[in-house]
Amino acid sequence: MASARKFQKRIRSVKTITQVTRAMQAVSTSRVRFAVDHMMATRPYTHYSLEVMRNIASQQGSAMLHPLLEKREEVKQTLVVLVSGNNGLAGSFYANLMDTTFDYFSMFKSPIRYISIGQRGTELLYRNRKRVHAEFNDLPDSPEFDDSVPIGKMVMDAFLNHEYDEVYLVYMDFVNMVKQEAKVEKILPLGVEKDKRQSAHDASVYAFEPNADTILNQMLPEFITLQIHQGILESQASEHAARMVAMKNATENGEKLRDSLQIKFNNARQQSVTNEMLDIVGGAEAMGSK
């Protein structure tokens, strides 16, 4: 059996780690509430805007209304906007995100390149030898719409310049505090598929005032950027929730391990005391026999 001193050192180590995980859990709990409120404030607007844009895209001759609605017959290059995070210790958050991404695009015949949003995603892309078009690793903890504008502009410029023929957005969709799902959406060219959270109804026919060019030139670029921004907000809320749950589980496991080590420490100390008493009794008997 290991010495009592060895168990004592391990107990101190586990206590220190548990204090750290409990502190990280508290930080993630406070951050996830703000992130969820921020994300939920923009989610309805994003989804209703998507419904309007897809209704417009479903109309006959929509490709003539704006270049961002043009569906190319041959896909030569595909761009993937991957939204991750900057910090680890988030359980299976990054594993689920990357597995879904690589599995989904593994069957694509066209070459794939990535725009990475988040340091961890960038590292994992390079580790898996993927081609990275651009990196955005310095977004603030609470990003505003303006922070997503450079990303949206880069994506749209690359599509309009025919560098890429289709663009996908991959992010972690926030379902609830214990469930987050990796989601893949095609954002360019704008498709007519309906999102599962949208109500199904017949496509409306729109009349544009003053004209379609003026309206769509303003709306479509902002909407594409809004989709990316919403993906960033969803991923941030999901990351904080995943980290909160992971740190909670780590804290509970640490406490169980500490209790188990404490029992072993008590047994080792009791065995040590028993051995010392036996030595004393044996010595006394030896002296008496002389």
Side-chain angles (χ1 to χ4, degrees):
M1 180 178 291
S3 65
R5 181 174 298 178
K6 181 178 179 180
F7 284 120
Q8 204 169 21
K9 290 181 178 179
R10 291 186 63 187
I11 290 172
R12 282 198 297 265
S13 299
V14 172
K15 283 183 178 180
T16 302
I17 295 174
T18 303
Q19 289 174 353
V20 173
T21 57
R22 185 179 289 110
M24 293 184 66
Q25 177 188 348
V27 171
S28 295
T29 301
S30 63
R31 287 184 175 179
V32 73
R33 291 172 183 169
F34 179 81
V36 170
D37 291 342
H38 197 182
M39 176 266 298
M40 293 299 293
T42 59
R43 178 185 274 182
Y45 176 74
T46 303
H47 290 162
Y48 283 124
S49 299
L50 177 62
E51 188 172 355
V52 172
M53 291 297 103
R54 283 179 171 166
N55 283 339
I56 294 174
S58 66
Q59 297 182 25
Q60 291 184 356
S62 61
M64 302 298 295
L65 296 177
H66 197 279
L68 293 177
L69 300 176
E70 176 192 357
K71 184 176 181 181
R72 281 122 193 216
E73 296 181 0
E74 182 181 1
V75 178
K76 299 178 181 179
Q77 293 277 351
T78 300
L79 180 64
V80 178
V81 181
L82 176 65
V83 184
S84 60
N86 294 323
N87 301 312
L89 299 177
S92 60
F93 177 84
Y94 293 106
N96 293 338
L97 177 64
M98 303 310 292
D99 287 347
T100 298
T101 302
F102 296 151
D103 289 345
Y104 188 90
F105 295 102
S106 63
M107 303 302 293
F108 276 47
K109 297 180 180 179
S110 60
I112 309 293
R113 297 189 72 177
Y114 293 85
I115 290 180
S116 177
I117 304 175
Q119 181 63 40
R120 295 289 294 180
T122 302
E123 294 174 355
L124 292 170
L125 286 174
Y126 281 124
R127 188 178 302 172
N128 288 274
R129 300 182 179 180
K130 302 299 181 180
R131 301 174 65 189
V132 178
H133 178 87
E135 307 170 15
F136 293 88
N137 301 328
D138 55 354
L139 290 183
D141 293 335
S142 301
E144 300 296 336
F145 180 80
D146 290 343
D147 297 315
S148 303
V149 170
I151 306 173
K153 187 176 186 305
M154 176 180 290
V155 169
M156 288 181 284
D157 288 346
F159 180 79
L160 294 175
N161 293 333
H162 289 260
E163 294 181 47
Y164 302 98
D165 300 302
E166 57 183 7
V167 182
Y168 289 83
L169 176 67
V170 184
Y171 63 94
M172 290 297 286
D173 187 39
F174 181 87
V175 180
N176 52 49
M177 288 294 183
V178 296
K179 183 179 180 181
Q180 303 84 37
E181 296 178 345
K183 191 171 184 180
V184 182
E185 289 183 350
K186 186 177 183 179
I187 60 175
L188 285 174
L190 191 62
V192 298
E193 300 86 356
K194 289 201 173 286
D195 187 83
K196 66 182 179 180
R197 282 192 292 233
Q198 294 174 336
S199 59
H201 61 78
D202 294 334
S204 303
V205 178
Y206 296 94
F208 298 97
E209 291 292 343
N211 54 64
D213 289 341
T214 302
I215 300 299
L216 294 179
N217 284 337
Q218 178 67 26
M219 290 180 61
L220 280 177
E222 290 193 2
F223 174 69
I224 298 301
T225 302
L226 178 62
Q227 276 190 291
I228 297 173
H229 181 65
Q230 185 64 31
I232 294 173
L233 297 182
E234 296 272 354
S235 286
Q236 283 199 341
S238 298
E239 180 189 358
H240 290 313
R243 183 173 294 108
M244 179 188 70
V245 173
M247 292 301 99
K248 180 178 181 293
N249 293 336
T251 301
E252 293 176 352
N253 291 336
E255 291 174 347
K256 291 179 182 179
L257 178 59
R258 182 194 61 192
D259 294 341
S260 175
L261 291 173
Q262 186 66 47
I263 293 174
K264 293 181 179 180
F265 167 74
N266 294 338
N267 292 337
R269 186 174 59 178
Q270 183 178 10
Q271 185 64 44
S272 176
V273 172
T274 302
N275 292 338
E276 291 180 2
M277 292 181 65
L278 290 175
D279 291 341
I280 294 173
V281 171
E285 290 179 352
M287 293 294 292
S289 63
K290 285 186 178 182

